[in-house]
Each structure stands twice: as structure tokens, then as C-alpha cells.
Amino acid sequence: MREFIEIRSDPSSYFNLVKEMVIADFKLRYQNSFLGILWSLLQPMMLFGVLLFVFSVFARFQIENYAYHLLIGVVLWNFFSEATTSSINSLIQKSRLIKKIYFPRSAIIISSTTNSFINLLFGIVTLLFFMAFSEINLDTTLFLLLLYIIELFFITLGTSFAVSSLSAKYRDISYIWPVLLRLGFWLTPIAYSVSMIPEKYHFFIFLNPITRVIHYSRDALLLSKVSNLDGLLALFITTIIIVVVGFSIFSSRSLQFPEEL
Amino acid sequence: MNNNLAIEIKNLSKEFVLPHHRRKTLKETIVNKFHKKNINKISAIDNLSIDIKTGEFLGIIGPNGAGKSTLLKIISGIYLPSSGTVVVNGSLASFIELRVGFQKDLTAKDNIFLYGALLGLTRNEVKNSYDKIINFAELQRFMDQKYKYFSSGMQLRLGFAITSHVNKDILLVDEALSVGDESFQKKCLVKMHNLHKKGKTIILVSHNLNMIEKNCTRAIYMKEGTLESVGKPKKVIAKYLRSDNTL
């Protein structure tokens, strides 16, 4: 548990390291582009514009506000998918550093996930901007979204810990993971809604914590509905389990990184 | 634990599995579970024991592949020992290689904060020594330039300046110094002497025997992962030169 001891013995320098890495990544991301940081907003805007156009003009489903249904799912899922993928890449990118300097390795994953989370925030701002111009009434339940995305952050962080540290030993993971993400995209109600699934399968699809995050976020944003307490509790417990398991895997594997990467 | 010791190394061994024998993919792991091949290992450090006292200025010499860098990496916590123990009393900073830890597309200023954070400093601690760092590196005019436009001499100046100003108990310096010009190398040595006077422990790996002889309080000569000789720098260097000639 060296990673954990490291954080506890000197939390201020640990979080400073995370912060500096986030700042560095953020500065580097739009280095040579003309519009720079504006892309953080323009990118989701363009993506949403395309999706909204396609689904409000061409495809018509029975679900009310299908396009927004879809957007909420896509924004949240994209974060999970981008963050876990970049955690694998950032561990590989930083391999030289890992071999030459000792520092708490978990900072790499926390900072790369935080960076993707910043993107998610830009995405959500864009989404709310679009919704403000639609006929949907935004209620105060939209603040529940904050709770849901924080849980999503930790689910993603735990997953990133596990996936990235395993990929250091088994490089196959970096090839399998995108395929699993594809599969996950269709097993999670992103392009469809929970109500389209027969009741008897609900138990199974709700085992996936991201299903809960997306479902509850839709309730909060589109239906002004507060999710039930049981569900929230289940989500909370799963989140904690994922973080604890992910971090334990990472922390025991990380001792081998300098030799494996 | 003995408080007079900065680093205690007991029966340390380190073996590496040769890369082509390492299981890299799931398939290999599964296949290898069934028929075990003879795995080829190299021993980088072989049953090495040494106590390094607090406040020592220790020089390490030896031919390439003697295990010097591996030893430094084990001391700094990068590699785990295969067997034996290493106890480090106090905080530690190491300057092992140029460029590592720096982002080429960020300015020198941003890099100082990033590198400082990697060495375990808070932002305020870096801020407090910021002026000292750039004065030492003599790079005041270049702080807003991107790191990638720095020559290797300038990169060395920046890297060494940060590492030597972080105020840790133990400083490890690998061969990186050799790219600096004469005057900066001297400056680095003066700096290390000052740290040494303040009671810091310094370990310097170098092929510059003259430098080791003039500055170190003790030297070790490593060969094939073992200690060939330990003692006064002059004596150790003489022994190294004698055995080197027979090659």
C-alpha cells in the first residue's frame, strides 16, 4: 500500500503534484491551435449540433425529447470512455519518467481523469446552453446532476486505476479496452432509454453503475424528478467499491511499473 | 535504525528478467503457465551491503553495467530489491537524467513548478526558492522560453538548479553533469560542497575520476554488481585504474 502511505504522509505535496500535472496537460492540449481553449466549448457544441440536427429532423422515436435524451447519455459516456482510454495512454507516455524519478504514480491517473472531467464540465455547460433554448423546462433538480457527475468521476477513476495498471503488464488491454467500450456503449442506455427495456431485465442493466448515473441525470434534467433513495444508495456503494478495488489493484501493481513499462 | 546512517543497505540483490523472457501478453502468460521455460535473468546487483553515514559525500565509480545506476534507482525507490533490504533515513532528491520530468512544450518557468512538484514540493516551497533557482542556473532571461529551445547545457543548469535547491536530506547525482561546461561543473561542485557542509548526504556517480578524488569523502568501486573496493577515494581510484588496465 505504498501509494496510500505516500498520500497520507504528505497530502499537500501530493495534491500539488496532481494540480501541476493537470495544469501542464491543460496548457499542452491546445498548444498549437489558433482558437486554443475555445475548442473546449466549440468541440461539444459542434458534436451536439450535429446530433441534434440529425435526430430532430430525420429520426423520430417515441421518446419525448429524444435528442436531449441521447445528448445526456453521450456526454456522460464520452467522459467515461475518454478518461479510461487516456489513463492507459498517459501511463505509457510517462514511462520514462516512471523509470527515472520516484513519485506517487497514482497522481498520473488522478490528473488524467481530472483533465477529462474538465472536458465533461465544458460539455455539460454546452448541453445546458442548448437546453435553455429548447422547450424543456429546467428545474432546480438540475443541481442533482452535480452529485451524479461526482459519482461518475469516482467510478471512472476507479476503473482507470484498474485498467491502466493492468495494461502495464498486459499490453493486450490497450487493444481490448476500446472494443469493450464499444460493447459498453450498447449495453448502457445511451442511445435508448431504460423504459425501452422489459422490466424483468432491469435488475441486470442496473448492475452497471453508469446506467444509474445516466438514468438519474435524465430524470433530473428532463423530467424534474428526484431519483429514489434506494437507487442512490446502491450507486453510492458501488462507487466506493469500484474506487477501493481499483486503487488496490493499482497500488500493488505500481511497484512493478518501472520494470514493465 | 541508526540515526547516524543516511542509508543502510543489507545483502541487496537485484535481478532483472531479460525482456524477451518477460510475459507481455495474456496469451504468453497463459501458455507459459503450462510449460515453464528456463527464464533468463541477469543479476545487476549481487549481495551488496554498505552503510552510508549522514553527511557523507560518497562517490561511486565503476565500468558501464556495474550496477551503479540500478543501485541509485533502488535507493530512490524506483526499483524494488529482489532480496535484501534498503533503509533510507530522511528525504531524498535525485538528479539522474537530463530532460526527464520536463515538458518540452512548456516554458522554463512552468517546468520549474512541474519538476518541483515531481520532487515532492508544494507550490509555495517552489515559489520561495524560485529566485535562487534561476540565479543559480543563470537563466533569468530565458524563463518564458519553451524548454525545447534550451541547449543541453541549459537543460542541465535548470535541472541541477532545481534538484539542488529542494532542501532534501539526501541528494543523488548521476552522470548527467558531464554535459555542462567547465565553469558550471565547478559551480555544481561548489553547491554540492555547501550542501555537504550543511550536513546533507550526497552520492555522486561519475566517470570523472578527478572529480571524485577531489570532492568525495569516501568512494566505492562497483564491478558486476558487487563492491570491489570501498574507502578513501585515492585508494579506490587506484584500484579501479589497475583493474581497468588489465581489460
Side-chain angles (χ1 to χ4, degrees), chain A residues 41 44-45 48 52 67-76 120-134 136 138 145 217 221-222:
Chain A
L41 278 173
M45 276 198 169
F48 296 174
L52 279 179
Y68 287 98
H69 233 81
L70 177 71
L71 281 189
I72 294 170
V74 167
V75 174
L76 298 172
L120 170 66
L121 294 180
F122 279 115
I124 285 175
V125 169
T126 317
L127 177 71
L128 293 177
F129 176 79
F130 274 101
M131 286 179 74
F133 288 100
S134 70
I136 301 160
L138 284 172
L145 191 62
S217 301
L221 286 176
L222 301 173

Side-chain angles (χ1 to χ4, degrees), chain B residues 230-247:
Chain B
V230 185
K232 287 258 169 266
K234 205 166 183 167
K235 194 191 82 190
V236 172
I237 288 168
K239 187 154 189 198
Y240 173 53
L241 288 176
R242 241 178 294 138
S243 64
D244 211 29
N245 284 342
T246 58
L247 288 175

Side-chain angles (χ1 to χ4, degrees), chain A residues 53-121:
Chain A
F53 176 73
V54 170
F55 284 99
S56 49
V57 176
F58 299 114
R60 295 204 173 266
F61 289 78
Q62 287 95 332
I63 307 172
E64 209 185 336
N65 291 320
Y66 177 74
Y68 287 98
H69 233 81
L70 177 71
L71 281 189
I72 294 170
V74 167
V75 174
L76 298 172
W77 178 262
N78 274 1
F79 161 65
F80 177 76
S81 149
E82 182 202 305
T84 47
T85 311
S86 76
S87 75
I88 298 176
N89 296 337
S90 59
L91 207 57
I92 293 168
Q93 267 170 18
K94 296 217 158 44
S95 62
R96 260 171 66 80
L97 186 60
I98 290 172
K99 284 170 200 271
K100 302 286 180 183
I101 301 180
Y102 179 74
F103 60 97
R105 317 309 195 185
S106 52
I108 298 177
I109 306 303
I110 298 186
S111 72
S112 78
T113 310
T114 306
N115 246 302
S116 304
F117 192 71
I118 294 173
N119 269 354
L120 170 66
L121 294 180

Side-chain angles (χ1 to χ4, degrees), chain B residues 80-236:
Chain B
L80 290 179
S82 302
S83 66
T85 56
V86 175
V87 179
V88 177
N89 302 314
S91 57
L92 180 149
S94 58
F95 184 53
I96 294 196
E97 209 177 288
L98 284 185
R99 284 183 280 275
V100 172
F102 291 92
Q103 283 288 356
K104 62 183 173 57
D105 282 311
L106 290 180
T107 63
K109 188 179 175 182
D110 289 340
N111 266 306
I112 290 180
F113 285 98
L114 181 62
Y115 198 79
L118 277 172
L119 296 178
L121 268 64
T122 63
R123 198 168 177 95
N124 270 333
E125 286 171 318
V126 181
K127 261 188 196 151
N128 290 337
S129 16
Y130 183 79
D131 287 331
K132 276 187 241 159
I133 292 171
I134 55 172
N135 280 331
F136 183 85
E138 299 165 27
L139 293 170
Q140 292 90 333
R141 290 185 299 127
F142 304 100
M143 279 300 117
D144 292 320
Q145 284 232 17
K146 284 186 182 174
Y147 185 75
K148 64 178 167 190
Y149 301 125
F150 276 27
S151 69
S152 50
M154 289 158 86
Q155 291 171 346
L156 165 72
R157 281 158 186 267
L158 193 63
F160 185 82
I162 303 172
T163 323
S164 61
H165 283 84
V166 294
N167 210 14
K168 302 276 178 170
D169 306 327
I170 304 165
L171 178 66
L172 308 181
V173 181
D174 208 342
E175 288 144 307
L177 288 185
S178 53
V179 297
D181 57 24
E182 193 80 9
S183 82
F184 190 73
Q185 277 195 16
K186 267 196 193 125
K187 200 171 175 178
C188 291
L189 286 168
V190 171
K191 179 71 192 170
M192 286 194 265
H193 267 296
N194 289 338
L195 291 172
H196 178 222
K197 266 188 215 142
K198 284 185 197 156
K200 312 277 184 195
T201 310
I202 294 165
I203 300 178
L204 172 67
V205 171
S206 182
H207 288 295
N208 186 338
L209 301 177
N210 208 4
M211 193 194 264
I212 300 273
E213 186 173 341
K214 272 192 195 145
N215 299 286
C216 296
T217 54
R218 190 157 70 125
I220 60 179
Y221 161 28
M222 283 183 76
K223 192 183 173 188
E224 289 163 9
T226 56
L227 290 183
E228 191 77 0
S229 167
V230 185
K232 287 258 169 266
K234 205 166 183 167
K235 194 191 82 190
V236 172

